Amino acid sequence: MSASVTRTGAAGPDRRRRLVAAGVGNFMEWFDFAIYGFFATAIGANFFPSSSPTASLLSTLAVYGVAFLMRPVGGFVIGAIGDRRGRRFALMLSVVLMGLATALIALLPPFAAIGVAAPVLLVLLRCVQGFSAGGEWTGSAAFLVESAPSDRRGITASVIPMTAALAVAVGAGSALLIQSAVAPEDIVGWGWRIPFLAAFPLTLVGLYLRMKLEDTEVFRELKARGDIADAPIRAVGRSGGRNVAISFALSAITVLGFYYIATYVTTFLTVTVKMDRFAALVVVAVGALLYAALCPVMGALSDRVGRRPVSLIGGAGLAVFAVPAFLLMATGNPVVAVLGLVLFGIFEAMHNSTTTVMLIELFPAHMRSTGSAIGYNLGAALIAGPGPLIAAALAAAGAGVGLPAVYMAGVALVCTIILWRVLPETRRRDLGPGEQRGPIAAPTPDNATTRS
């Protein structure tokens, strides 16, 4: 059934408070994830000591990927909580879990002090972070998109990838500051712990802001109608399988691309290209800031022309330009490297901004938090999670500086071909209770660009 009901969303001041609350919490979540990547070498030396720096780095990145295995679990649990207890409650839970795990990582003794217990505890805390992240992205998106006017859902949802990118830029800035102020041996000894500890106050700010908000009008309507799903996971299994599969393909591209920017590019520039670490961090910080600026532009574009065309162009662009972008970065020239990162970021912003809003528009209200979290996090765990490790291993094989981007290009190509066949246009769908009870139809010549 086509629906084009116009929802005005939350009032202006309340909408701004919601944007700030979701944005600050989301920033904190992804700052925590980003700094792990920026300090991967120091973390590896502390928890995975080895005579080979490459082996230590690969072990650290493997733990980074292990956290992604917990994301579907977090998606199942926190997503279901969002559908049963409310979007606001789920967001408070995710921000607390992430903040506590990050602070505890900062306090962990190294391998030299407690032996094998050190990497074991690191893995467990990374799993808590992955569990938390499994509910944050789609939870924040659901909260914002359900609160937005129907003609501004794309630009509103873009706050999520934009704040995640800002977190990467600030994480890189933190690494620059620590590198400038702390001796190299002290960075390995204790300097890497500073940003992990500094993230904890952001947890308190994010929690406070989220506690001050009401839940979304959509969830309040669901509750008033007695339409809260008793078993949202079962509801997704009965009627949401197709849209979970679409969400999987969308997130496989989006999350993999984002974690190339957030985690792997720094490793690529310093380890493979041999760029000075200070210059590499500047490149990543500048590139992430420019990418952040692109996200609302692409979100607004999808509000005007539709999600489907912007998403497909973004995916196709990553398939075609991922390798050339890395070849530009491989020149070792910081200016050219920024251009390469921006080339990559243009198409990643197109795909990420549209994915974030479509994850919410694909599912009916009573299973929205659960369905979007499951599809998103399965793609993140199975395809994107191993991405930095696979890219680093490809680079270590020494078969060409563009090789690490081949995995990105291949995933983007395969998923974009699939999405071209099955991705519907969701821009005009009503998000209220009682709508979208069945799966969205696959695109046809009649509905590929207009069906909503």
Side-chain angles (χ1 to χ4, degrees):
M1 174 179 176
S2 178
S4 57
V5 178
T6 299
R7 290 182 173 265
T8 58
D14 187 46
R15 191 181 308 140
R16 286 190 290 273
R17 285 194 294 271
R18 290 168 185 261
L19 286 169
V20 172
V24 168
N26 191 66
F27 174 93
M28 189 279 295
E29 292 262 357
W30 301 106
F31 176 77
D32 294 348
F33 256 64
I35 56 178
Y36 185 92
F38 288 126
F39 291 95
T41 301
I43 292 171
N46 276 271
F47 296 97
F48 305 98
S50 169
S51 58
S52 168
T54 299
S56 293
L57 176 62
L58 290 175
S59 296
T60 308
L61 292 176
V63 174
Y64 186 89
V66 164
F68 275 79
L69 297 179
M70 287 299 295
R71 290 185 60 152
V73 181
F76 274 86
V77 176
I78 300 178
I81 288 172
D83 282 327
R84 297 191 65 182
R85 295 286 303 276
R87 321 307 193 209
R88 170 178 167 271
F89 184 85
L91 289 184
M92 289 192 295
L93 176 62
S94 68
V95 79
V96 167
L97 289 174
M98 178 64 82
L100 288 175
T102 302
L104 289 173
I105 287 175
L107 301 175
L108 271 184
F111 185 93
I114 60 173
V116 73
V120 169
L121 289 172
L122 178 64
V123 169
L124 290 175
L125 290 172
R126 287 292 297 163
C127 286
V128 174
Q129 287 187 316
F131 182 91
S132 168
E136 173 62 29
W137 191 285
T138 53
S140 295
F143 192 83
L144 287 181
V145 172
E146 287 185 348
S147 303
S150 57
D151 61 346
R152 292 181 60 83
R153 295 198 299 239
I155 191 171
T156 300
S158 70
V159 167
I160 306 303
M162 181 183 73
T163 52
L166 290 175
V168 174
V170 174
S174 301
L176 279 169
L177 182 62
I178 290 170
Q179 182 173 322
S180 301
V182 179
E185 62 273 15
D186 289 332
I187 292 176
V188 175
W190 53 267
W192 69 269
R193 299 177 186 271
I194 295 173
F196 285 85
L197 283 172
F200 187 70
L202 287 175
T203 299
L204 301 180
V205 172
L207 178 61
Y208 174 78
L209 290 172
R210 290 177 175 188
M211 288 177 66
K212 300 290 286 183
L213 297 175
E214 280 192 303
D215 218 317
T216 67
E217 180 186 356
V218 170
F219 185 79
R220 297 199 304 270
E221 287 181 23
L222 274 174
K223 194 171 182 179
R225 290 163 56 110
D227 207 14
I228 301 295
D230 292 328
I233 295 174
R234 191 181 310 137
V236 172
R238 283 198 304 263
S239 61
R242 179 186 182 87
N243 292 334
V244 167
I246 293 172
S247 300
F248 179 99
L250 288 170
S251 71
I253 301 173
T254 284
V255 183
L256 180 60
F258 179 72
Y259 279 103
Y260 264 67
I261 294 173
T263 300
Y264 179 65
V265 166
T266 303
T267 302
F268 175 75
L269 292 175
T270 55
V271 176
T272 304
V273 182
K274 308 299 183 186
M275 183 183 287
D276 175 75
R277 180 169 172 79
F278 189 92
L281 289 170
V282 171
V283 168
V284 172
V286 172
L289 285 173
L290 293 172
Y291 166 69
L294 287 167
C295 288
V297 174
M298 300 309 177
L301 181 64
S302 77
D303 283 330
R304 294 191 56 117
V305 306
R307 321 291 186 220
R308 178 180 160 86
V310 178
S311 175
L312 293 177
I313 292 171
L318 287 170
V320 172
F321 291 105
V323 172
F326 268 72
L327 291 175
L328 289 173
M329 287 184 259
T331 63
N333 182 305
V335 174
V336 177
V338 168
L339 292 176
L341 196 51
V342 169
L343 175 64
F344 189 96
I346 289 170
F347 298 105
E348 170 64 14
M350 296 179 79
H351 205 275
N352 202 336
S353 295
T354 50
T355 291
T356 303
V357 66
M358 283 191 291
L359 288 170
I360 308 310
E361 293 171 334
L362 280 167
F363 293 92
H366 69 290
M367 66 166 92
R368 179 168 297 139
S369 184
T370 306
S372 60
I374 290 173
Y376 175 81
N377 287 294
L378 284 174
L382 299 179
I383 306 299
L389 179 61
I390 291 172
L394 289 171
V401 290
L403 190 61
V406 169
Y407 180 62
M408 177 75 247
V411 169
L413 176 63
V414 172
C415 290
T416 300
I417 291 172
I418 294 170
L419 290 168
W420 180 75
R421 297 295 302 270
V422 302
L423 184 66
E425 179 55 68
T426 61
R427 177 168 50 125
R428 293 191 178 91
R429 291 192 64 85
D430 181 61
L431 300 184
E435 299 295 334
Q436 298 174 242
R437 281 296 182 177
I440 299 177
T444 67
D446 294 329
N447 74 3
T449 59
T450 61
R451 184 176 176 83
S452 57

